[in-house]
Amino acid sequence: MGRAAAAGRGAGGARRWLPWLGLCFWAAGAAAARGTDNGEVLPDSIPSAPGTLPHFIEEPDDAYIIKSNPIALRCKARPAMQIFFKCNGEWVHQNEHVSEESLDESSGLKVREVFINVSRQQVEDFHGPEDYWCQCVAWSHLGTSKSRKASVRIAYLRKNFEQDPQGREVPIEGMIVLHCRPPEGVPAAEVEWLKNEEPIDSEQDEHIDTRADHNLIIRQARLSDSGNYTCMAANIVAKRRSLSATVVVYVNGGWSSWTEWSACNVPCGRGWQKRSRTCTNPAPLNGGAFCEGMSVQKITCTALCPVDGSWEVWSEWSVCSPECEHLRIRECTAPAPRNGGKFCEGLSQESENCTDGLCILDKKPLHEIKPQSIENASDIALYSGLGAAVVAVAVLVIGITLYRRSQSDYGVDVIDSSALTGNSLLLNPSMQPDLTVSRTYSGPICLQDPLDKELMTESSLFNPLSDIKVKVQSSFMVSLGVSERAEYHGKNHSGTFPHGNNRSFTTVHPRSKTPYIQNLSSLPTRTELRTTGVFGHLGGRLVMPNTGVSLLIPHGAIPEENSWEIYMSINQGEPSLQSDGSEVLLSPEVTCGPPDMIVTTPFALTIPHCADVSSEHWNIHLKKRTQQGNWEEVMSVEDESTSCYCLLDPFACHVLLDSFGTYALTGEPITDCAVKQLKVAVFGCMSCNSLDYNLRVYCVDNTPWAFQEVVSDERHQGGQLLEEPKLLHFKGNTFSLQISVLDIPPFLWRIKPFTACQEVPFSRVWCSNRQPLHCAFSLERYTPTTTQLSCKICIRQLKGHEQILQVQTSILESERETITFFAQEDSTFPAQTGPKAFKIPYSIRQRICATFDTPNAKGKDWQMLAQKNSINRNLSYFATQSSPSAVILNLWEARHQHDGDLDSLACALEEIGRTHTKLSNITESQLDEADFNYSRQNGL
């Protein structure tokens, strides 16, 4: 029914009813008058209460229409002859009213109650300045009364919250405020909070307040307050649920108290003592920050060294006594013992006869007296002579035995392992055999992983080695990992490879899984890795295979008619470069020589490094060792210098130098974001116990040389690479490294207790170039039939990078898949001389230099050549060279020794616009012809 029609009916009805009401009032008044005049009482059905206006016993309440259901408005009044509703200022039609009439027994007054229904359509059709409203109007004899206005609204609740609560991470005892603005609705929605799907009662928990504008406030966060919080909004129509907000209450780590200072680490002299603390007060929880600062403090200490006493010189003899003796004494004061030193050994007093036997004792001459002590002395001399004879015979027998043994087929370098059975010898991979001494072993021995921390069981003592004889190379060759010694036989012709220079730098393989049997007392440490080559005027390239170290001798650097034997080595022992403060060694110590050699053109030395290059986080220096053994800084890679040039690539540094010597790269981290690149790898091998299998996880500097050391050691131990190595970015943020073994098959393997996760201190990893860093894990099979092993090795830095090594291997060597140690070999020949050592043909190189060394109107074109080859820094160095273009091309040769990317160089030249020669299109025959013509022109 339309609002206009309803209004019309209401108005018409009102007009129709008003006259009728007037008539009714008049009739009632007349009847009352007649009744009074006649003395009759008014009927009960029409009570009279003159002077009383209608009083509302019940007034209409505000109402909400839910969905499409109409609502009923009611009102009740007394005394009331009629009650009608007026909605939005218009009378409601009489037919829409439902009236009920009753009599109030206490007062005898007439009570009337009226109902009307309001539909959703009526409310929606109303367009007024306020809400749809209705009120009651009641009539009595004396007049009318009006009730309060009751509003009628359509109830609803929108779906989307105006503001969802947001997750928070707060420290313990911090304040948590979660904001919630419920969806718009009529009536307004009430808000309730849930924690982990359970209602929150703020009245029972004084720490929580949910009364402030629908927000949830926790004044002091507790660990128990962590959880998922949800805001629930509801009214009479529907319920709405907000997105869940995750609250994490974390605990930042706190240092415990320092321990007492330890005792000085040396018994005497200058040493150090330390104290430590742990991040357990409290320990970090729920992602809280680890303690900042150092966990260990060290201070120097000086302990007084004990001084042993020493005798002074004897005093003069005293005068002769009546007993025919004189005395002399000495004192233990040169120096006197102090600080716990030993007292002097021997007598402090000495006496002897002072008359040469002429003194008379007991009426007899002294020389006639034969004391018993003299006879005893004669016996001692006799026995001593017999003992010396026996020792001489024994020495003679031993000498003859050694001489006969030296004439055997194998000599002193042969070790017979047929007598070596059982398990007792631990082979140290960091030491090499001293083959100058022959060793004989008696009793059970065996080779075991030196990192196995478990004691040897008796059952493992009955696994004899095979009856073999191992021919050991010279100690120098074994220390290099070279199967044959390279020797030069005469002077090599210029332009050819030196005799014996094609040595292989792969380590010696053990025979039948059995490494070399060595005595621990005779295992010296390796000192250096070395290669040599003879070079002349044509220059060449010297490469240390699988180390990333190379040396480029440019054409013309050595004067004509001269040739030099140039060597290059890597220090494999303890680094002689001692870092100062926070300085870190980033590369191997590389020596090239001879040191007295003079070159006319700078040579290029390539040194690998392990820094993640960034000038914002690292300050990298090139250092050189002096003749006195000290290290001095040559330059910083970011400095401008005319004495040398450093070009830092992501994995290597190319240095242009004028003098030979020992060089190394060091880095000083500027921020905690400085990153060292570590190579992580896992090796495995069987233990002496047939059920055990050892895993060794290495984290070494990401240089080929460092990894080659690991490979060499593992080959000596019989270890096998189980997964391709991966790269780990280790930050200088003082956080430690964790290595753990995960996902071990539970019914096939088990790991030794307390070894599943190992943590390595930050300082040990950050300075890992001192020794290869590794952790060992010992796994045990339940049955010998288990031959397959699958697990994961997780290597992660706390609050840093993480790598996963997936191990899937067979512990049987015959079934194991071989994984390549090195992606590529540097060169079949460590030394290459002449044109074959260079990627750019000499004739084309000459044309490039002649073109770009000549200045033009736009400036020196070699600067454009440098720019196109990504050389934008320290151009003043090239300006001091006789041919800047030649030095730039030498640097290009050093950078592209593996790929020889001539296309990129040709593109750079074309971009400059000075040449259109495409070097990549030159055929091999053209290269050979150009080199031959050049050699013929120079009389070679």
Side-chain angles (χ1 to χ4, degrees):
M1 179 184 298
R3 182 184 304 271
R9 287 196 302 272
R15 287 190 293 270
R16 288 192 300 271
W17 274 96
L18 287 176
W20 179 83
L21 287 174
L23 292 174
C24 290
F25 286 135
W26 175 81
R34 288 194 300 271
T36 303
D37 292 340
N38 299 330
E40 297 178 358
V41 182
L42 292 171
D44 294 338
S45 60
I46 309 177
S48 174
T52 301
L53 290 173
H55 172 70
F56 285 97
I57 301 174
E58 181 179 352
E59 296 184 83
D61 293 327
D62 295 339
Y64 298 94
I65 296 177
I66 301 174
K67 297 182 180 179
S68 298
N69 301 322
I71 54 97
L73 297 179
R74 69 171 59 188
C75 65
K76 183 188 295 186
R78 68 179 181 188
M81 300 180 65
Q82 290 293 340
I83 299 177
F84 290 95
F85 273 92
K86 179 185 287 186
C87 293
N88 301 320
E90 297 180 357
W91 293 101
V92 179
H93 195 274
Q94 178 185 4
N95 295 337
E96 298 178 13
H97 289 73
V98 178
S99 296
E100 293 180 1
E101 187 176 295
S102 62
L103 187 65
D104 188 356
E105 296 179 357
S106 61
S107 62
L109 298 177
K110 185 184 294 184
V111 177
R112 185 174 294 275
E113 185 175 6
V114 177
F115 302 86
I116 65 169
N117 289 329
V118 179
S119 67
R120 182 186 184 97
Q121 187 66 39
Q122 289 177 277
V123 177
E124 288 179 346
D125 290 342
F126 174 70
H127 301 283
E130 55 185 353
D131 293 333
Y132 189 99
W133 60 269
C134 293
Q135 69 176 166
C136 292
V137 180
W139 279 268
S140 69
H141 296 288
L142 206 59
T144 62
S145 295
K146 296 181 179 180
S147 70
R148 62 177 293 274
K149 291 182 179 180
S151 62
V152 179
R153 305 174 66 185
I154 299 175
Y156 67 91
L157 184 62
R158 301 195 184 280
K159 292 184 178 181
N160 297 326
F161 278 71
E162 294 185 4
Q163 182 178 3
D164 287 298
Q166 301 295 321
R168 297 284 305 279
E169 292 185 1
V170 294
I172 193 168
E173 297 186 356
M175 177 178 285
I176 303 175
V177 179
L178 299 180
H179 298 280
C180 176
R181 294 178 61 187
E184 179 186 353
V186 174
E190 295 183 357
V191 172
E192 179 186 21
W193 284 91
L194 304 179
K195 175 189 174 185
N196 298 331
E197 305 303 325
E198 295 292 334
I200 296 176
D201 188 355
S202 59
E203 295 181 356
Q204 296 182 359
D205 193 340
E206 62 182 6
H207 290 86
I208 300 178
D209 185 6
T210 59
R211 298 169 296 176
D213 196 21
H214 307 307
N215 298 328
L216 174 68
I217 301 175
I218 301 178
R219 295 180 180 86
Q220 288 186 329
R222 302 155 295 186
L223 288 175
S224 59
D225 292 326
S226 297
N228 296 320
Y229 288 81
T230 308
C231 181
M232 295 289 293
N235 64 4
I236 60 176
V237 179
K239 289 185 178 181
R240 299 286 185 258
R241 181 188 180 96
S242 72
L243 298 176
S244 294
T246 301
V247 173
V248 177
V249 181
Y250 61 86
V251 179
N252 290 326
W255 289 114
S256 65
S257 300
W258 288 102
T259 61
E260 297 294 330
W261 288 103
S262 66
C264 202
N265 69 319
V266 294
C268 71
R270 186 176 180 85
W272 52 262
Q273 54 186 152
K274 67 178 181 179
R275 64 176 183 174
S276 61
R277 57 180 179 175
T278 58
C279 189
T280 56
N281 186 32
L285 191 64
N286 292 342
F290 197 79
C291 303
E292 295 183 358
M294 303 300 294
S295 60
V296 178
Q297 279 186 347
K298 288 186 178 182
I299 58 174
T300 58
C301 57
T302 303
L304 297 176
C305 294
V307 178
D308 295 337
S310 181
W311 293 113
E312 289 278 4
V313 297
W314 288 102
S315 65
E316 297 292 333
W317 289 104
S318 65
V319 296
C320 198
S321 67
E323 289 78 15
C324 305
E325 291 182 341
H326 59 177
L327 303 175
R328 64 176 181 177
I329 60 174
R330 57 180 178 177
E331 295 182 351
C332 187
T333 57
R338 60 179 182 271
N339 302 330
K342 296 180 181 179
F343 197 80
C344 302
E345 296 182 358
L347 299 176
S348 62
Q349 179 176 307
E350 190 177 61
S351 64
E352 66 177 17
N353 188 273
C354 55
T355 62
D356 294 331
L358 299 179
C359 182
I360 297 178
L361 183 64
D362 294 334
K363 308 297 183 177
K364 295 181 179 181
L366 190 61
H367 64 273
E368 295 182 1
I369 299 175
K370 295 183 179 180
Q372 185 66 27
S373 60
I374 298 177
E375 295 179 1
N376 295 337
S378 300
D379 294 341
I380 293 173
L382 176 62
Y383 294 144
S384 299
L386 291 175
V390 172
V391 170
V393 172
V395 169
L396 180 61
V397 171
I398 293 174
I400 294 174
T401 302
L402 292 178
Y403 175 77
R404 295 184 62 184
R405 180 174 298 179
S406 66
Q407 301 304 314
S408 63
D409 293 336
Y410 293 101
V412 297
D413 285 340
V414 177
I415 303 173
D416 187 357
S417 64
S418 61
L420 307 181
T421 60
N423 301 312
S424 65
L425 180 62
L426 302 181
L427 181 61
N428 190 339
S430 64
M431 307 177 70
Q432 296 295 323
D434 182 1
L435 303 179
T436 60
V437 181
S438 177
R439 301 288 176 176
T440 303
Y441 301 88
S442 61
I445 69 171
C446 126
L447 302 173
Q448 182 185 344
D449 180 6
L451 304 172
D452 191 354
K453 300 176 183 177
E454 296 296 317
L455 295 175
M456 307 296 290
T457 61
E458 292 185 1
S459 62
S460 65
L461 297 177
F462 299 96
N463 298 325
L465 300 176
S466 58
D467 187 4
I468 61 173
K469 291 189 176 183
V470 181
K471 179 68 176 178
V472 184
Q473 307 292 331
S474 68
S475 60
F476 172 72
M477 301 304 292
V478 173
S479 68
L480 293 182
V482 182
S483 59
E484 295 182 0
R485 176 178 297 203
E487 299 178 355
Y488 293 107
H489 303 281
K491 184 176 179 180
N492 295 283
H493 191 276
S494 180
T496 62
F497 294 105
H499 294 289
N501 203 33
N502 56 342
R503 65 184 68 174
S504 172
F505 280 82
T506 57
T507 54
V508 180
H509 291 277
R511 184 183 305 175
S512 301
K513 286 188 175 180
T514 306
Y516 293 113
I517 302 172
Q518 304 167 9
N519 192 335
L520 290 177
S521 63
S522 63
L523 292 177
T525 58
R526 293 167 294 179
T527 57
E528 66 176 12
L529 188 66
R530 182 185 179 97
T531 184
T532 61
V534 176
F535 298 90
H537 183 68
L538 295 181
R541 193 189 302 268
L542 189 62
V543 177
M544 194 84 72
N546 295 326
T547 63
V549 178
S550 64
L551 181 67
L552 182 74
I553 308 296
H555 178 95
I558 301 176
E560 294 187 27
E561 305 301 330
N562 288 344
S563 63
W564 287 85
E565 182 180 10
I566 299 177
Y567 64 85
M568 188 166 57
S569 63
I570 297 178
N571 179 19
Q572 288 186 287
E574 186 72 15
S576 61
L577 175 56
Q578 301 298 325
S579 302
D580 297 331
S582 60
E583 199 172 42
V584 181
L585 184 63
L586 298 177
S587 74
E589 296 176 3
V590 179
T591 301
C592 53
D596 56 346
M597 176 180 170
I598 299 176
V599 293
T600 58
T601 302
F603 61 89
L605 177 63
T606 298
I607 306 176
H609 66 81
C610 61
D612 190 357
V613 181
S614 174
S615 59
E616 299 177 357
H617 307 308
W618 281 105
N619 189 8
I620 299 178
H621 307 273
L622 175 68
K623 292 196 173 183
K624 181 180 181 181
R625 188 171 61 190
T626 63
Q627 294 181 352
Q628 292 76 23
N630 301 321
W631 286 84
E632 61 182 13
E633 181 176 334
V634 178
M635 67 174 295
S636 172
V637 295
E638 298 298 326
D639 290 345
E640 298 285 332
S641 174
T642 58
S643 60
C644 65
Y645 186 88
C646 288
L647 181 61
L648 200 63
D649 280 345
F651 299 102
C653 182
H654 310 282
V655 189
L656 296 176
L657 298 165
D658 294 323
S659 60
F660 291 96
T662 301
Y663 296 91
L665 290 175
T666 64
E668 183 179 359
I670 301 175
T671 67
D672 289 347
C673 295
V675 171
K676 275 185 66 176
Q677 296 178 342
L678 302 181
K679 181 173 290 187
V680 294
V682 57
F683 290 80
C685 70
M686 292 292 294
S687 176
C688 286
N689 185 343
S690 60
L691 294 178
D692 288 354
Y693 191 77
N694 295 325
L695 293 177
R696 290 184 289 273
V697 182
Y698 289 84
C699 297
V700 298
D701 292 347
N702 184 34
T703 59
W705 163 76
F707 188 59
Q708 187 189 24
E709 274 198 310
V710 173
V711 170
S712 177
D713 291 342
E714 283 296 326
R715 280 176 173 164
H716 280 292
Q717 299 182 67
Q720 293 289 332
L721 184 64
L722 303 182
E723 172 67 2
E724 291 187 6
K726 294 186 177 180
L727 202 61
L728 180 73
H729 298 281
F730 190 80
K731 290 186 177 181
N733 54 9
T734 72
F735 287 101
S736 59
L737 185 73
Q738 284 185 348
I739 304 176
S740 54
V741 181
L742 308 174
D743 298 345
I744 300 175
F747 301 107
L748 300 177
W749 293 85
R750 65 182 174 187
I751 191 168
K752 297 298 178 68
F754 310 109
T755 61
C757 182
Q758 301 183 31
E759 186 165 338
V760 184
F762 168 82
S763 58
R764 179 70 177 89
V765 184
W766 195 244
C767 300
S768 60
N769 46 37
R770 301 292 174 184
Q771 290 293 337
L773 169 66
H774 71 276
C775 292
F777 300 90
S778 183
L779 306 181
E780 183 179 2
R781 295 180 288 172
Y782 283 96
T783 62
T785 58
T786 301
T787 60
Q788 298 294 322
L789 173 62
S790 64
C791 63
K792 292 181 180 179
I793 309 294
C794 177
I795 305 102
R796 62 182 291 266
Q797 183 186 18
L798 298 180
K799 295 195 175 182
H801 191 210
E802 177 184 87
Q803 279 290 11
I804 300 292
L805 297 177
Q806 181 69 52
V807 176
Q808 186 75 38
T809 186
S810 171
I811 64 174
L812 300 179
E813 185 175 5
S814 59
E815 300 177 2
R816 186 183 298 119
E817 180 181 355
T818 303
I819 299 177
T820 306
F821 286 115
F822 297 100
Q824 64 179 12
E825 292 286 337
D826 291 297
S827 177
T828 304
F829 302 99
Q832 292 181 331
T833 60
K836 288 292 185 181
F838 302 97
K839 307 299 180 182
I840 306 174
Y842 183 75
S843 58
I844 295 178
R845 176 189 177 95
Q846 281 184 314
R847 293 207 302 269
I848 295 175
C849 294
T851 301
F852 288 97
D853 284 342
T854 304
N856 64 5
K858 297 181 180 180
K860 290 184 177 295
D861 282 350
W862 62 262
Q863 297 182 4
M864 301 175 66
L865 179 64
Q867 181 182 2
K868 293 300 180 180
N869 285 278
S870 302
I871 302 174
N872 302 314
R873 185 187 52 80
N874 196 14
L875 296 183
S876 58
Y877 172 81
F878 300 97
T880 60
Q881 304 298 323
S882 58
S883 176
S885 301
V887 179
I888 294 173
L889 294 179
N890 292 338
L891 195 56
W892 184 92
E893 290 275 2
R895 298 178 71 183
H896 298 85
Q897 61 174 318
H898 295 300
D899 53 41
D901 188 9
L902 295 176
D903 275 335
S904 62
L905 181 60
C907 291
L909 298 177
E910 289 183 358
E911 289 179 9
I912 297 174
R914 295 297 299 268
T915 179
H916 297 280
T917 304
K918 286 198 173 182
L919 301 181
S920 59
N921 292 334
I922 300 175
T923 63
E924 195 70 29
S925 60
Q926 289 175 313
L927 295 180
D928 295 338
E929 182 180 356
D931 297 333
F932 173 76
N933 293 336
Y934 168 74
S935 300
R936 186 174 58 184
Q937 292 171 5
N938 289 274
L940 299 176

